Amino acid sequence: MICAWRQFVDLLPVWMRESVDKHGRNTLLELRLRLGLPAELVCLDGNIQLERSVAACDLQFCINTACKYSPWTAATASDGYITAPGGHRIGICGRTVNVNGKTTGIREATSLCLRVARDFPGIASNASTCTGSILIIGCPGAGKTTFLRDLIRQRANNGYCSIAVVDEREEIFPYSHGISVFDHGLRTDILSGCNKAHGIISVLRSMGPSTIALDEITAEEDCKALLHAGWCGISLIATAHASNKSDLLNRPIYRPIVDSGLFETLIVMNRDKSWTKERLNV
């Protein structure tokens, strides 16, 4: 297991760092910070509450540290989360800023969910022999991104040529001081910070990949770009939010890519981090 743990701890207010490090270094999944309530550690072996309650300045400290006081980065919180150094994710709830009916940011945070990014080399080894395009689904927190990361690495190291990764939020392969936090394999090219739809077309044209990989299909534009790329003689690896195959088939946004037959294999991630493999046939 690999984790940029020090970077995670540095996101936190000084008063809670020692306790979080002591109780969560190897087992922490999420740190829940709710205004006026004790900080809560969600660990593999149970939950732990700290004695001190969270103040508004604690929430703002985490956000500012994650954004490095960058207004542009902070503005991406309109999606409900920001990506912190080390690939850690901070989910945000609170009072939003709305312009012309569109949410443009968070005015006042009241809750944060700090999710620890950990890498587990080898977890996708049994799926690495799957050929063609693969769709990975699961509920939030089921481990889709972690599995995707290792599957990319497995393919890149086992005779497949040139995998292009569209890493919009720098969560698949985050960087620290110009160096990748997690091993990305021998034949992997990464396009970071670019929206997925544009990034898919960009790497298709510029890098000549045999596979394009991305995390979280969330928009109709993503599906259109995948369909365009998938019928150009390459394979795809992507993740999507759905608890099971039935849930996937019932979500209109995914119907075009499911009906197309583009993805051959479906990987279903379970909440206990186990997974199953099946054919994706309608």
Side-chain angles (χ1 to χ4, degrees):
M1 184 271 291
I2 301 169
C3 175
W5 178 251
R6 188 69 257 167
Q7 288 182 301
F8 181 83
V9 173
D10 287 346
L11 295 171
L12 310 178
V14 175
W15 66 265
M16 70 174 70
R17 292 180 182 177
E18 183 176 351
S19 295
V20 171
D21 185 45
K22 175 182 176 181
H23 296 293
R25 175 179 286 270
N26 296 313
T27 62
L28 184 67
L29 301 174
E30 298 174 348
L31 176 63
R32 298 276 183 168
L33 304 182
R34 299 180 175 96
L35 184 63
L37 296 173
E40 183 177 23
L41 286 73
V42 181
C43 302
L44 286 170
D45 49 356
N47 294 9
I48 302 170
Q49 286 191 336
L50 303 185
E51 294 183 2
R52 181 169 165 178
S53 294
V54 175
C57 61
D58 297 324
L59 301 176
Q60 196 59 51
F61 179 89
C62 293
I63 294 172
N64 288 340
T65 305
C67 296
K68 298 181 180 178
Y69 294 87
S70 163
W72 179 87
T73 306
T76 64
S78 60
D79 293 331
Y81 70 96
I82 53 179
T83 303
H88 310 294
R89 175 185 285 199
I90 301 181
I92 307 173
C93 273
R95 296 178 59 203
T96 62
V97 177
N98 298 284
V99 178
N100 297 324
K102 182 179 179 180
T103 299
T104 59
I106 302 291
R107 185 194 312 274
E108 180 182 354
T110 56
S111 299
L112 299 181
C113 173
L114 291 83
R115 187 180 300 173
V116 182
R118 299 186 188 274
D119 188 32
F120 294 89
I123 62 169
S125 57
N126 289 337
S128 62
T129 56
C130 295
T131 57
S133 295
I134 301 173
L135 184 62
I136 304 164
I137 64 172
C139 298
K144 297 185 296 297
T145 303
T146 306
F147 192 90
L148 170 67
R149 181 185 302 121
D150 192 54
L151 186 55
I152 293 169
R153 182 166 49 226
Q154 296 281 342
R155 279 202 175 190
N157 288 336
N158 289 311
Y160 288 83
C161 297
S162 187
I163 300 178
V165 179
V166 181
D167 196 359
E168 182 175 12
R169 304 298 290 267
E170 296 188 21
E171 289 184 275
I172 307 173
F173 294 109
Y175 281 78
S176 176
H177 306 295
I179 301 174
S180 181
V181 174
F182 305 132
D183 175 24
H184 49 65
L186 295 174
R187 305 175 188 89
T188 306
D189 304 302
I190 303 168
L191 180 65
S192 302
C194 177
N195 80 73
K196 289 185 282 289
H198 178 78
I200 291 167
I201 303 304
S202 177
V203 296
L204 177 66
R205 292 172 176 172
S206 63
M207 300 306 296
S210 60
T211 301
I212 294 178
L214 64 149
D215 201 12
E216 294 191 1
I217 305 169
T218 57
E220 182 180 346
E221 291 75 16
D222 302 341
C223 294
K224 289 180 178 178
L226 285 170
L227 288 170
H228 175 80
W231 298 123
C232 289
I234 68 166
S235 60
L236 304 165
I237 308 175
T239 71
H241 285 294
S243 57
N244 51 47
K245 183 177 179 179
S246 177
D247 187 18
L248 176 74
L249 297 178
N250 286 327
R251 299 193 64 182
I253 188 175
Y254 300 134
R255 289 303 307 192
I257 58 175
V258 172
D259 291 342
S260 71
L262 185 61
F263 287 94
E264 303 163 37
T265 302
L266 183 69
I267 300 290
V268 182
M269 304 296 300
N270 304 311
R271 288 191 179 276
D272 63 0
K273 311 302 181 183
S274 65
W275 57 275
T276 57
K277 179 180 69 174
E278 55 186 293
R279 301 294 292 181
L280 183 55
N281 296 317
V282 180

